[in-house]
Structure formats: C-alpha cells, structure tokens
Amino acid sequence: MNGITKRSPMRIGYWLSEKKAKKLNFAGFADRMKQSTGVEVVSIDLTKPVDEQPLFDVIIHKLTDLMTAADRGDSDATKDVTSIESYIVRHPKVVVLDPLPNVRKLLDRSICYEEIKKIHFVVRDVTVCSPHFTTVRSSPSGPTLMNKTKLSFPVVCKHLVAHGSRVAHQMAIVFSDEGFKEVDFPFVAQQFICHSGQLYKIFVVGKRHFVVKRPSLKNLSLNRFDKSTIFFDSHDVSKADASSELNGTVDLEEDHRKLDDIVVAKIAETFREKLGLSLFGVDVVVEDHSNRHCIIDVNFFPGYEGFADFEGALEELLLNQTTSLPASGAKPANGLLSNGYQNGKILNGCRKLFAGFHSMNGASAAATAAADLDDSFTGQRAAAVTYI
C-alpha cells in the first residue's frame, strides 16, 4: 500500500462566511458526515490562532472575500488570510480545497480572463472559447480602444474585482465611444454575445458536475434606437426567478434546449485541470448564429443553487481526499498532497526572495529563492510531485 494506512477519525476544517455556511447548511452537512462516515467537519475559528486548534487533514474554504479585502489593505482580513497561509506552510501535508494561489487567479477579472483565453478546443463539432476582451486601467479613448482590439460594439464592461465587493456584480453595456466615459475604470471590456437570453451554469464539485439553466441578457445590437449605456447588476438578470426588462423573452421551462453532455463534461474536466480547482462554476452562453459555446466567467465556490445532490458530491470529494491521506510520518504517494506542499513551498520561496533583496548577499539569496520558486511552479505543472 506504499506506506499508506487508514487513519481515523479524519478532521476537515472549513471556513465560510456566516451567510454562505447558513445557505449551504454546512452545520447540518457536518453532522451528517460525522454520523455516516465518522469524519469530523469543524468550523475554523479565525478569532483564535489556527495552530491552537486541533490539527486538520483537509481545509475547505471560500476565502475570496477576505483575500480581496486583504489586497485592499484591510488589516483584519490580512491577519486572517496570513493565519491560514502560515498554517498551510507549517503543515505541508494538509490538503487545501482549493489552493490559495489558484483561487487568487479568479479574484481579478483581467487575470481570470487571461487564463480563460488559453482554453480553446472543439468537441463534437462544438467550439468552446471565450469572447474577446481588453483591460482598461485608465480613462479610455473610445476610438483608440476599439481600434487596438478585436472588439466591436456592444461590449460588456465589468469591474476588475470579481469577489468581495458589491461592485463585482455591477456592470454596463456600452454601445458607443462616448459610453466608455460613463464607466468607472479600471474595468474589463468583454465582447457582448447574442445568446437569446439563456445562460448555462456548469457547477463543478470534484469530478462531478451539474448544469443549471438561468435567464440572461436579451439580444442587443447597434440597431437599437437608444444607444445609451445600460447599467445593471448581474444578480438581477441571472437569478433563477429574474424578471428584469433586460431578460430575454424565452420561457426557460418551455425551452428544452440544453448543452451536450459530452461537451459539458469536457468543459468541466478541462477547467478543473487547467485552473487546478475542485470547487467552481463556469458561465456559458451559446452564440446564436455560430453555436460557439462562449465562457463568459468562472467563479470559485459558487452558490450551487439547483445542483442536485450537492451534499453527496461534496461528501464524495472530501472522502476522496481523506481516504488518500498517509499515516503520520509516511510519505505521500505521487501528487496526493501537492496542494498544501506546493502552497507552502511557494510562500516560503517568496519570503526568501524578498528577504534576499534586503540582505547583504541579496543577489545570491534571491537567485536561490527564485530557483526554489521555479521548482515549485514546475511541480505544480507536473503530473506528479517528488517529496524529499
């Protein structure tokens, strides 16, 4: 068994906002996990040092709001995020769902969309891709912006902040050069795709996925008489019961169009592998005239509204982690615990790098640390991880 033995009981620590934990009934889920599997699922208390709490084998989290607040300089959020990061460094065997460096890529839409842009494939004669976009960080000149990009009006403008703020859901549809002057920058401008007011959300939990159909923006074009900029909140147009004037006229219950199962499975698998995530959602719209399946957004640990047997899928994901854990002192098999190990190595490498710049032997120290970091990222890309 390669030195791997069963340990019991396993402990899974979770950190979710109070609102999300209540929405997903995580306390009830924890009780059922304990009763049915013997695995302990306990809330991580960030008001206390994490190291003073019982050891965790697995950490599941949605720290995106705290990470965003920390990036904005919030001292309390910085303290909380640092506490978790430090714990991961000191306990490299812990499995983290999902690794913080991978989650961080989804916090900024500019970075997120660059990652999505790399994913382009064809399956069953269906092209899966993402709309053209550009990042605007200062007051834009409409003609200059459009001439330098592959964009054409209308475009959807979204704040760079994708989590942790109300502005993350506040968007604008721009139809002319003048319209850009009304939008607060920085933002991403994404090509609007006509999709008959239907949005498909692919919810992913480990190796399982589920598709939910939601209302979306109706078709819009430059032929409309009023070219005034349209401001809206994405929640208002894409909730299951949305009834905005911006929604399409299609009755989702009567419309039986759906995504091909094989295409959906390929999207879920590809994004899981490319992003290195287990808990995420992919927003897909199908372009009317081309049938291109366009990925317009990716979200970490979404609400999972409508996901049939979400708890069953989550239990399966968590048990897959815990049953693979090695006994104390045993070396893990290839890649089993790469999340925690790589997080710790990358964070330690960063600290060495920055410390090196301020030491008398800065160049040498920095070079060594950079090599460590390069090894870490190489390990992230590899199919297996070698433990020393």
Side-chain angles (χ1 to χ4, degrees):
M1 298 293 289
N2 296 324
I4 295 177
T5 59
K6 187 176 180 180
R7 297 170 57 197
S8 181
M10 296 293 178
R11 286 179 58 84
I12 297 172
Y14 71 90
W15 191 93
L16 304 172
S17 68
E18 182 178 350
K19 179 180 178 181
K20 191 169 188 70
K22 183 176 181 180
K23 184 177 182 180
L24 294 176
N25 188 24
F26 232 74
F29 171 73
D31 289 340
R32 287 185 286 277
M33 280 283 285
K34 178 67 173 178
Q35 293 172 7
S36 63
T37 68
V39 174
E40 293 185 77
V41 181
V42 297
S43 175
I44 299 174
D45 186 354
L46 291 182
T47 66
K48 304 174 182 177
V50 181
D51 267 328
E52 293 182 5
Q53 301 173 51
L55 290 175
F56 302 111
D57 297 291
V58 179
I59 291 178
I60 182 173
H61 70 90
K62 185 166 186 180
L63 290 166
T64 49
D65 289 4
L66 285 179
M67 294 167 74
T68 298
D71 290 344
R72 294 200 303 260
D74 185 294
S75 58
D76 290 337
T78 299
K79 180 181 177 181
D80 290 341
V81 173
T82 300
S83 178
I84 292 288
E85 288 178 331
S86 298
Y87 182 89
I88 294 169
V89 169
R90 288 192 293 272
H91 301 85
K93 291 182 180 180
V94 68
V95 175
V96 184
L97 297 174
D98 278 314
L100 300 189
N102 298 356
V103 172
R104 186 169 291 282
K105 293 179 181 179
L106 303 189
L107 300 184
D108 182 308
R109 281 197 173 97
S110 179
I111 297 173
C112 177
Y113 289 3
E114 286 292 347
E115 292 296 314
I116 296 174
K117 187 171 69 173
K118 300 173 186 176
I119 300 174
H120 184 289
F121 58 88
V122 178
V123 58
R124 293 174 67 88
D125 295 325
V126 171
T127 297
V128 177
C129 58
S130 59
H132 293 305
F133 82 98
T134 190
T135 303
V136 181
R137 299 187 182 277
S138 59
S139 184
S141 166
T144 301
L145 176 63
M146 300 304 284
N147 289 338
K148 288 185 176 180
T149 67
K150 297 179 180 180
L151 295 172
S152 60
F153 292 117
V155 296
V156 182
C157 298
K158 310 176 184 180
H159 289 273
L160 296 189
V161 176
H163 291 274
S165 172
R166 292 183 63 184
V167 302
H169 304 287
Q170 295 171 0
M171 305 179 183
I173 304 173
V174 173
F175 296 87
S176 67
D177 296 332
E178 288 296 312
F180 286 122
K181 298 177 181 178
E182 303 177 65
V183 182
D184 294 332
F185 58 85
F187 61 84
V188 292
Q190 184 183 65
Q191 184 65 60
F192 178 81
I193 303 295
C194 285
H195 55 283
S196 295
Q198 293 196 65
L199 170 69
Y200 299 90
K201 286 185 171 288
I202 303 176
F203 291 133
V204 180
V205 180
K207 293 185 177 181
R208 290 171 62 176
H209 58 266
F210 192 83
V211 181
V212 174
K213 191 155 56 173
R214 294 280 180 80
S216 184
L217 295 168
K218 61 186 177 183
N219 288 350
L220 299 167
S221 72
L222 286 179
N223 295 327
R224 67 196 302 266
F225 176 76
D226 183 4
K227 291 184 174 55
S228 300
T229 299
I230 298 174
F231 295 91
F232 67 99
D233 187 303
S234 60
H235 278 167
D236 294 337
V237 298
S238 61
K239 284 186 176 180
D241 57 353
S243 58
S244 168
E245 62 180 14
L246 292 175
N247 287 133
T249 58
V250 175
D251 187 328
L252 299 186
E253 294 185 1
E254 296 295 329
D255 191 301
H256 298 295
R257 285 179 293 175
K258 68 173 188 175
L259 302 184
D260 183 286
D261 291 341
I262 293 178
V263 175
V264 171
K266 182 65 175 178
I267 292 173
E269 176 188 10
T270 302
F271 275 81
R272 184 171 57 246
E273 293 178 353
K274 297 295 186 182
L275 299 181
L277 299 174
S278 297
L279 295 161
F280 62 96
V282 181
D283 290 351
V284 182
V285 297
V286 179
E287 188 172 37
D288 285 346
H289 69 275
S290 70
N291 198 43
R292 290 191 309 159
H293 288 36
C294 299
I295 312 300
I296 60 172
D297 240 323
V298 177
N299 302 289
F300 173 62
F301 208 150
Y304 290 106
E305 293 93 344
F307 190 123
D309 194 26
F310 166 71
E311 286 193 0
L314 183 60
E315 177 179 323
E316 179 182 301
L317 171 64
L318 294 175
L319 291 180
N320 282 342
Q321 313 304 317
T322 57
T323 55
S324 301
L325 288 169
S328 296
K331 288 187 178 182
N334 279 348
L336 278 177
L337 300 180
S338 60
N339 287 352
Y341 180 81
Q342 291 296 340
N343 284 348
K345 191 172 182 183
I346 291 172
L347 189 57
N348 276 335
C350 287
R351 286 171 174 164
K352 290 179 186 178
L353 183 61
F354 294 135
F357 283 124
H358 296 286
S359 68
M360 293 182 64
N361 299 312
S364 176
T368 301
D372 286 344
L373 280 174
D374 185 65
D375 288 343
S376 297
F377 285 108
T378 300
Q380 288 272 42
R381 291 191 296 267
V385 178
T386 300
Y387 292 86
I388 299 174

